[in-house]
Amino acid sequence: MRTDYSPSEMMIVTAARALAGIRTVFVGVGLPNSACNLARRTVAPNLELIYESGIYGARPARLPLSIGDPTLITGSTSVCSMADLFGLYLQGGRVQVAFLGGAQIDRFGNLNTTVIGDWEEPKVRLPGSGGACEIALNARQVFVVMRLKRRAFVDELHFLTSPGHLGGDNAREELDLPGAGPQLVVTDKCVFRFDEVTHEMTLETLHPGVPLAEVQDEVGWELKVAPDLRQTDPPSAEELRLLREELDVQGLYR
């Protein structure tokens, strides 16, 4: 099936739409940053972008290169220390949605950003948690943005860096974790949500032209599929215009 948009544009638009009505979002650079800025221009005009480096209410004049990029201060409501940001905003329960990603994710939304392979002699040593573990614990909801690859969607993590729904069922409640954990996973082929009872990742929509078998081939476990499996709505002409002409003119992320 021919489309006039890229898989990355599909991911950005889908993630942006999920922010409808949201006021506060904890975000990093890359695709999630583009999604948040698109949402602010479409479905969430009052969205406040929060960055780990201590920026609240950012209005970046251009795409930031990192969370330490000075452009994040542009038009911001507040600039504070990372300790205040995590202690007062995140741990204070004031972050409605946080975007996370990782090298690996399992069926319950647990994330690995630490090592691939054995801990003592890993094949790849990754950056680690940074603030991701605290974010996964304390944000009211977590949205994950990752490309769908079998090496990333695994039956068992090589290392648990950021907790999702742990072993499923009521595991988070039993540990009295404050946030609700992962609610959404947006990929370049489909969208997953999590079952309300078992908290297992469940295929909700397929992007246009993507067959179910292709998604299953890229997941390391037997996939749970929603009974009302639907097609993801493609990007509109206006959403693509905003991405291409205003938000990511150079095409760094889209």
Side-chain angles (χ1 to χ4, degrees):
M1 179 177 179
R2 294 183 59 185
T3 61
D4 60 350
Y5 51 86
S6 70
S8 293
E9 288 174 329
M10 185 78 218
M11 293 174 72
I12 292 168
V13 168
T14 303
R17 290 170 176 170
L19 292 170
I22 297 296
R23 180 65 189 276
T24 56
V25 58
F26 208 115
V27 63
V29 298
L31 292 175
N33 182 76
S34 299
C36 290
N37 280 287
L38 178 61
R40 197 159 52 82
R41 288 164 172 78
T42 52
V43 298
N46 296 318
L47 190 65
E48 301 287 356
L49 276 59
I50 306 171
Y51 290 86
E52 187 175 343
S53 50
I55 314 298
Y56 180 92
R59 298 288 188 270
R62 56 172 171 78
L63 284 175
L65 301 177
S66 72
I67 59 167
D69 193 323
T71 194
L72 295 178
I73 298 174
T74 308
S76 63
T77 304
S78 172
V79 180
C80 61
S81 69
M82 292 178 67
D84 281 348
L85 186 78
F86 275 75
L88 301 177
Y89 290 106
L90 180 62
Q91 294 175 346
R94 294 176 174 86
V95 174
Q96 289 179 275
V97 170
F99 276 103
L100 290 177
Q104 291 181 329
I105 187 171
D106 69 12
R107 71 182 72 197
F108 297 116
N110 302 299
L111 293 166
N112 171 23
T113 56
T114 302
V115 295
I116 300 298
D118 180 71
W119 167 256
E120 297 294 337
E121 297 182 9
K123 295 179 180 178
V124 179
R125 189 170 293 282
L126 301 165
S129 170
C133 183
E134 284 294 320
I135 295 166
L137 290 171
N138 290 281
R140 295 189 206 170
Q141 303 178 75
V142 171
F143 292 174
V144 178
V145 178
M146 292 176 62
R147 298 188 189 281
L148 190 70
K149 297 291 183 185
R150 195 173 184 89
R151 67 181 183 181
F153 284 69
V154 296
D155 186 45
E156 184 176 353
L157 299 181
H158 293 180
F159 188 94
L160 173 55
T161 309
S162 302
H165 295 290
L166 299 168
D169 297 323
N170 297 319
R172 286 186 68 99
E173 293 180 16
E174 291 170 2
L175 291 178
D176 200 26
L177 300 185
Q183 304 297 308
L184 179 75
V185 180
V186 178
T187 80
D188 53 340
K189 297 182 184 294
C190 61
V191 175
F192 299 97
R193 289 196 181 269
F194 291 83
D195 184 87
E196 293 182 0
V197 177
T198 66
H199 291 109
E200 182 176 347
M201 196 183 299
T202 303
L203 181 63
E204 182 181 64
T205 69
L206 293 166
H207 295 342
V210 178
L212 174 59
E214 184 175 333
V215 173
Q216 179 63 81
D217 286 346
E218 298 292 354
V219 175
W221 65 86
E222 186 175 349
L223 198 57
K224 184 179 179 67
V225 180
D228 58 343
L229 180 64
R230 298 172 286 108
Q231 178 179 282
T232 316
D233 291 334
S236 69
E238 177 61 10
E239 288 167 328
L240 291 174
R241 186 196 68 77
L242 287 167
L243 275 177
R244 295 169 181 178
E245 298 180 14
E246 296 185 21
L247 298 176
D248 189 5
V249 178
Q250 295 178 313
L252 294 176
Y253 301 116
R254 63 175 172 79

